Amino acid sequence: MVVNTLVARQVVTVFQALFRARFPIKTMRLAVRYRPNHDDPNDKRDYTAGFNCRPVLTARGPIDTFSQHSYGWAIDVNPIQNPYVTFDGYVHNKNARPYRNRSLHRPGMIHPDDRVVRAFASIGWKWGGYWAGDKDYMHFSLTGR
C-alpha cells in the first residue's frame, strides 16, 4: 500500500492494531489504475488500498475534484464489505449490494465505533461512514473528505 510519507508511520500503527485484533482484510494491494468511464458494476476486486491519483468517486460516478487518495491521505478498506452507499440506498457495485444493510455483522465489515474506526481515529483520521447523506463505509482519510 502506498500512502503519503507524512502519514506512513501512523498508518503502519493502525494496520498493526488491526492485525493484532484479527480484523480480516480481504486483499491489500496497490490501487488499480483509474481509467475514466471504465467502472465495472460487476467488479469483484476487494482491494484495500491507499494512493490513487483520481477524482472523487461516488456511487453515481466521479465528480470534478481530486480525491484525498490523490495525495496519499486516504485508504479504502474492504470495499465490497464496506460500499459507498448513496442517501437513497444505491450501491454501484453489484457484489457490494448485500453489504448496504449495515445491521449485518459479517467479517470485514466496519461499523460505528468499532476497532477499525477507533484505530484510524487514534491517528486523527475520519471515517466516511459518519458522513451526512451518502456514506462511504470503506473510506478513511486524514482530512475527513
Side-chain angles (χ1 to χ4, degrees), residues 16-60:
Q16 287 172 333
L18 297 181
F19 179 78
R20 283 191 304 273
R22 297 184 179 272
F23 179 79
I25 293 184
K26 182 73 173 175
T27 305
M28 189 177 295
R29 298 183 51 140
L30 295 175
V32 175
R33 183 178 68 117
Y34 176 71
R35 294 174 48 205
N37 304 314
H38 285 87
D39 191 21
D40 180 3
N42 298 304
D43 192 350
K44 293 182 180 178
R45 294 176 294 197
D46 197 12
Y47 301 162
T48 293
F51 172 79
N52 194 348
C53 191
R54 62 172 174 75
V56 171
L57 300 176
T58 73
R60 303 237 189 248

Side-chain angles (χ1 to χ4, degrees), residues 1-8 10-11 31 34 49-57 63-76 125 139-145:
M1 175 186 300
V2 174
V3 295
N4 189 301
T5 189
L6 298 175
V7 299
Q10 294 174 321
V11 167
Y34 176 71
F51 172 79
N52 194 348
C53 191
R54 62 172 174 75
V56 171
L57 300 176
I63 59 176
D64 198 24
T65 187
F66 277 108
S67 165
Q68 296 301 290
H69 292 277
S70 298
Y71 306 101
W73 297 335
I75 294 171
D76 288 341
W125 285 37
H139 186 80
F140 292 89
S141 68
L142 174 66
T143 64
R145 293 177 287 162

